[in-house]
């Protein structure tokens, strides 16, 4: 079975894999590896994802895009009268990528490695894993997008000690990573980013500027009008420098001025990450450009002016992160050529516990246990004392974030330990934090009696019943109604032949129908379509034999070559050996 790497992007998503000593991309029917991260409701056809969905959406139809920006939130989108979360919409995109990959690997996908923005918090990473579960993908490892880009850079430019800064500017997010390369090690030393700063924000600034030029307030326009303006803004941005008759003709200087608020935010991130990494601009060997939005000439101009050096562009910036994910699949499968490469990562956010300094305080303070940019795996122990006289238990609340007051950070969980009732400050507990390379946090409390209490905080997954419900819904949504009707007609045709037949022929038809139903119930769209195609072929063979009035018995001239591959029914029973 195969291992694939997936770049689940804001604008486009891609899948890649490692074979024959290089990365291969999974392409769609048009030969493109880019699958637009767009979902749309097409009347009469249901939910569509990818290229057709984007075309429908851009033509003014009902659709949504850029939902990755709201991963981990409760935001909802409406399509076809039903509401969907960013997690569910992302699951549809992942399902589409999985379906395409299964066309290359009919034996199935063993595992997927998915890239995420470095600044995704625990909730966002957790929802990404849940989306993969719904799509039927097993995900053992999430890797940061700039880390994948650094891996792609290392493979392209070979060995040698280098200090890099990866600038990953996509449709919805900006990630920065400082990377040290030496021997076979790629070490991430610091990360910074903004999950709400991307190419979409440039489109919005252009649209707001165009409205202001006409005395309009963009924020007061209806959703449909805003969507249309954003589409025109994107078109104007993409044809920058070309003469045209559009309502807003952009020049590079004008766009540079329009983007100054975003550039100011970018500069702050640069200052932040260089300070965290303990580097100066002069210490950097290369600035690596990643992400579709980094292609804009104004972005390259800003970076050149800011850093005083030309950035390095790794081929098609849309493909770099997926390329790195594809390389990492080779590492996961222990490919001889790259298995010795070690990719280390850092904790993007501070992890800590709530503490109080005196009795009666209303707001607790965050005590950092594992600070941001700590190399993973990381661990730390801290001793805490009781605050109240004769208290009998201590509850340790765990948070993620950089804010001073604990409640302003993201709450992750809590663990309680019993303590001996003594005067305040006379009893203690030891708190142990361990954070591993897969984003799993293990917290343990040990009291003075050496009694242990612990909690495991992982990127949570979905439970059985909930997962199966999501899977069924997505599978139905992703199978067009017309296709469902055609499959039902195939079943009816086969059933009609079964009713007319006797003996060996009827037995064989029964086996064919059973195999077909197993494909329909397999939960894998590529198997559904393969079963339908085979059923159609076999039925045409029977019909042709009828027309020629040939012997219809199986020991006659009619030859069936049905390959009953390993399919299982709902009870897990192998159907591969059904029939003669």
């Amino acid at each position: 079975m195969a291992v694939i790497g997936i770049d689940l992007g804001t604008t486009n998503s891609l899948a890649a894999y490692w074979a024959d000593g290089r990365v291969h991309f999974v392409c769609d029917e048009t030969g493109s590896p880019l699958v637009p991260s767009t979902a749309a409701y097409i009347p009469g056809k249901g939910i569509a994802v990818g290229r057709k969905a984007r075309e429908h959406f851009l033509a003014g139809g009902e659709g949504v895009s850029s939902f990755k920006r709201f991963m981990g939130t409760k935001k909802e989108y409406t399509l076809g009268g039903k509401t969907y979360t960013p997690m569910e919409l992302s699951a549809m995109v992942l399902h589409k990528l999985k379906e395409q990959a299964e066309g290359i690997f009919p034996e199935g996908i063993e595992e997927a490695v998915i890239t995420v923005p470095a600044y995704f918090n625990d909730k966002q990473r957790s929802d990404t894993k849940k989306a993969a579960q719904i799509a039927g993908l097993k995900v053992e490892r999430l890797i940061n997008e700039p880390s994948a880009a650094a891996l792609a850079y290392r493979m392209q430019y070979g060995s040698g000690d280098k200090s890099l800064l990866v600038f990953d500017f996509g449709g919805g997010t900006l990630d920065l990573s400082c990377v040290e390369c030496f021997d076979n090690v790629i070490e991430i030393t610091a990360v910074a980013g903004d999950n709400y700063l991307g190419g979409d924000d440039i489109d919005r600034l252009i649209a707001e500027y165009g409205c202001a030029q006409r005395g309009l307030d963009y924020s007061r326009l209806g959703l449909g009008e805003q969507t249309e303006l954003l589409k025109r803004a994107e078109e104007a941005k993409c044809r920058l420098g070309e003469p045209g008759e559009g309502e807003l003709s952009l020049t590079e200087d004008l766009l540079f001025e329009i983007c100054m608020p975003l550039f100011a935010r970018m500069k702050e991130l640069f200052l932040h990450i260089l300070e965290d990494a303990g580097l100066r601009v002069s210490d950097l060997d290369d600035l690596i450009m990643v992400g579709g939005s980094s292609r804009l000439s104004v972005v390259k101009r800003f970076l050149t002016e800011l850093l005083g050096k030309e950035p390095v562009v790794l081929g098609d910036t849309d493909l770099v992160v997926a390329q790195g994910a594809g390389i990492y699949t080779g590492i996961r499968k222990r490919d001889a050529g790259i298995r010795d490469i070690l990719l280390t990562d850092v904790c993007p956010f501070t992890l800590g516990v709530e503490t109080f300094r005196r009795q009666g305080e209303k707001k607790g303070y965050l005590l950092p246990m594992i600070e941001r940019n700590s190399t993973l795996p990381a661990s730390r122990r801290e001793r805490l004392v009781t605050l109240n006289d004769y208290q009998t238990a201590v509850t340790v609340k765990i948070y993620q974030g950089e804010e001073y007051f604990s409640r302003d950070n993201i709450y992750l969980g809590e663990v309680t330990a019993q303590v001996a009732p003594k005067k305040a400050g006379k009893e203690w507990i030891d708190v142990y934090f361990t954070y591993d390379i897969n984003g799993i946090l293990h917290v343990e409390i040990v009291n003075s009696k050496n009694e242990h209490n612990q909690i495991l905080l992982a990127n949570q997954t979905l439970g059985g019943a909930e997962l199966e419900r999501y899977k069924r819904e997505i599978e139905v949504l992703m199978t067009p109604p017309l296709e469902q009707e055609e499959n039902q007609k195939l079943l009816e045709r086969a059933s009609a032949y079964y009713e007319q037949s006797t003996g060996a022929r009827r037995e064989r038809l029964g086996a064919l129908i059973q195999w077909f139903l197993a494909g329909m119930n397999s939960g894998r769209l590529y198997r559904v379509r393969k079963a339908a195609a085979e059923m159609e072929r076999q039925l045409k063979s029977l019909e042709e034999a009828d027309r020629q009035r040939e012997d219809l018995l199986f020991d006659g001239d009619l030859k069936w070559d049905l390959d009953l591959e390993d399919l299982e029914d709902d009870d897990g029973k192998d159907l591969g050996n059904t029939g003669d």
Side-chain angles (χ1 to χ4, degrees):
M1 297 181 76
V3 178
I4 61 171
I6 293 177
D7 172 15
L8 181 61
T10 303
T11 306
N12 293 296
S13 296
L14 308 87
Y17 60 96
W18 181 267
D20 306 320
R22 67 184 183 89
V23 172
H24 300 260
F25 293 100
V26 177
C27 297
D28 64 12
E29 62 278 3
T30 70
S32 171
L34 298 176
V35 172
S37 300
T38 304
Y41 176 76
I42 302 176
K45 296 184 178 180
I47 299 292
V49 171
R51 196 167 307 280
K52 290 182 179 179
R54 181 165 176 78
E55 290 172 357
H56 181 75
F57 180 47
L58 292 179
E62 185 180 359
V64 294
S65 62
S66 298
F67 37 82
K68 176 185 171 181
R69 304 189 79 172
F70 299 96
M71 187 76 87
T73 72
K74 295 181 180 180
K75 184 176 176 64
E76 292 185 333
Y77 300 85
T78 300
L79 287 176
K82 291 187 65 177
T83 59
Y84 301 95
T85 65
M87 178 187 73
E88 292 171 310
L89 294 169
S90 297
M92 295 179 192
V93 175
L94 290 170
H95 188 284
K96 175 76 172 179
L97 293 170
K98 173 174 169 279
E99 175 194 336
Q100 291 182 178
E102 285 174 333
I104 300 172
F105 303 106
E107 70 276 14
I109 307 301
E110 175 186 0
E111 180 187 340
V113 175
I114 299 181
T115 63
V116 294
Y119 240 53
F120 255 23
N121 60 37
D122 184 79
K123 174 62 175 170
Q124 292 166 313
R125 291 168 189 265
S126 178
D127 276 9
T128 301
K129 274 196 155 185
K130 290 177 182 177
Q133 271 190 290
I134 295 169
L137 291 168
K138 175 186 175 185
V139 177
E140 297 288 350
R141 180 78 190 272
L142 299 175
I143 61 174
N144 292 334
E145 291 168 1
S147 303
L151 192 54
Y153 172 90
R154 190 64 167 175
M155 291 296 292
Q156 184 169 333
Y157 286 89
S159 59
D161 295 355
K162 286 194 174 182
S163 294
L164 312 174
L165 197 152
V166 179
F167 178 88
D168 184 357
F169 190 41
T173 61
L174 171 62
D175 275 339
L176 302 179
S177 286
C178 283
V179 186
E180 295 292 335
C181 298
F182 55 93
D183 296 329
N184 285 328
V185 179
I186 301 171
E187 183 179 30
I188 311 300
T189 59
V191 297
D194 190 331
N195 290 335
Y196 299 95
L197 176 55
D200 290 348
D201 298 283
I202 294 179
D203 298 341
R204 179 180 52 78
L205 287 177
I206 294 172
E208 289 176 348
Y209 175 83
C211 285
Q213 293 298 103
R214 292 160 179 78
L216 301 174
D217 185 347
Y218 173 83
S219 65
R220 297 177 67 88
L221 299 178
L223 180 60
E225 294 172 308
Q226 288 184 350
T227 301
E228 179 62 25
L229 273 177
L230 289 174
K231 186 177 84 170
R232 295 181 185 179
E234 183 184 15
E235 292 171 350
K237 177 183 71 177
C238 293
R239 66 168 185 264
L240 182 65
E242 298 179 7
E245 300 178 358
E247 294 182 20
L248 178 61
S249 181
L250 283 177
T251 65
E252 182 170 321
D253 287 341
L254 175 58
L255 183 57
F256 194 85
E257 180 182 342
I258 290 172
C259 290
M260 285 306 295
L262 299 186
F263 293 153
R265 289 164 64 185
M266 288 181 187
K267 183 178 179 180
E268 287 299 315
L269 289 174
F270 272 100
L271 294 173
H272 178 62
I273 193 171
L274 290 173
E275 183 175 355
D276 278 359
L279 296 175
R280 297 182 178 181
V281 171
S282 57
D283 296 324
L284 299 174
D285 293 304
D286 279 322
L287 171 69
I288 314 302
M289 300 279 280
V290 180
S293 297
S294 68
R295 287 198 300 264
L296 289 172
S297 57
V298 290
V299 174
K300 185 175 181 181
R301 171 182 162 185
F302 163 73
L303 294 175
T304 303
E305 292 181 5
L306 178 67
L307 303 178
K309 59 177 66 181
E310 287 278 334
V312 174
V313 179
L314 298 180
D316 189 335
T317 54
D318 277 323
L319 306 181
V320 175
V321 170
Q323 184 178 2
I327 295 169
Y328 195 78
T329 65
I331 297 174
R332 291 288 289 181
K333 297 209 72 165
R334 305 293 295 163
D335 184 273
I338 57 175
R339 65 185 178 192
D340 293 330
I341 294 178
L342 177 63
L343 177 65
T344 73
D345 227 319
V346 296
C347 181
F349 290 93
T350 296
L351 297 165
V353 299
E354 183 177 52
T355 58
F356 295 86
R357 293 189 173 88
R358 60 185 64 87
Q359 294 183 23
E361 282 185 321
K362 300 295 185 183
K363 297 171 69 174
Y365 308 88
L366 183 70
L367 172 65
M369 293 291 292
I370 296 176
E371 290 197 292
R372 71 172 186 268
N373 294 321
S374 297
T375 301
L376 300 181
S379 61
R380 182 184 171 185
R381 185 198 73 164
E382 189 72 30
R383 177 163 290 185
L384 304 177
V385 299
T386 54
L387 185 64
N388 302 304
D389 290 339
Y390 307 111
Q391 69 184 83
T392 58
V394 175
T395 297
V396 175
K397 294 185 177 180
I398 305 154
Y399 290 87
Q400 168 186 286
E402 313 303 325
E403 301 296 332
Y404 182 71
F405 292 109
S406 54
R407 71 182 185 186
D408 294 330
N409 295 288
I410 297 174
Y411 170 78
L412 298 181
E414 61 186 55
V415 58
T416 299
Q418 302 302 311
V419 294
K422 297 180 181 179
K423 294 285 285 186
K426 298 300 183 181
E427 183 65 357
W428 53 265
I429 58 169
D430 282 336
V431 180
Y432 295 82
F433 266 45
T434 303
Y435 193 64
D436 74 10
I437 193 69
N438 291 312
I440 297 176
L441 174 63
H442 181 267
V443 178
E444 185 172 24
I445 298 177
V446 182
N447 64 16
S448 60
K449 294 181 180 181
N450 202 34
E451 295 171 334
H452 296 244
N453 297 79
Q454 58 188 5
I455 184 173
L456 197 66
L457 296 169
N459 290 322
Q460 298 180 10
T461 55
L462 293 168
E466 186 181 17
L467 175 60
E468 288 307 312
R469 176 178 64 81
Y470 273 123
K471 277 186 174 181
R472 286 194 300 270
E473 289 178 358
I474 293 297
E475 190 65 43
V476 170
L477 286 170
M478 297 298 289
T479 305
L482 180 59
E483 193 170 312
Q484 295 177 32
E485 292 174 11
E486 291 173 347
N487 291 342
Q488 184 60 36
K489 289 178 181 177
L490 282 174
L491 184 59
E492 291 171 359
R493 285 168 60 194
S495 297
Y497 266 107
Y498 180 83
E499 291 173 7
Q500 299 166 8
S501 304
T502 59
R505 184 185 191 209
R506 187 172 200 180
E507 184 178 338
R508 188 72 181 189
L509 277 163
L512 176 63
I513 291 171
Q514 189 177 10
W515 182 84
F516 179 71
L517 289 173
M520 295 302 103
N521 297 326
S522 67
R524 294 184 175 182
L525 190 55
Y526 91 96
R527 285 197 167 185
V528 172
R529 290 176 175 170
K530 184 173 182 179
E534 183 61 28
M535 175 65 89
E536 179 69 36
R537 190 177 74 84
Q538 294 290 349
L539 291 177
K540 283 184 177 179
S541 178
L542 283 172
E543 291 163 354
E544 179 64 25
D546 278 344
R547 281 194 295 270
Q548 296 177 8
R549 301 178 181 276
E550 292 180 352
D551 187 356
L552 298 182
L553 295 177
F554 280 14
D555 57 358
D557 294 334
L558 181 62
K559 302 296 182 184
W560 284 31
D561 56 354
L562 178 62
D563 180 15
L564 295 177
E565 64 171 309
D566 291 335
L567 285 172
E568 296 181 348
D569 62 15
D570 293 337
D571 298 323
K573 181 181 177 182
D574 187 3
L575 299 177
N577 295 319
T578 303
D580 295 332

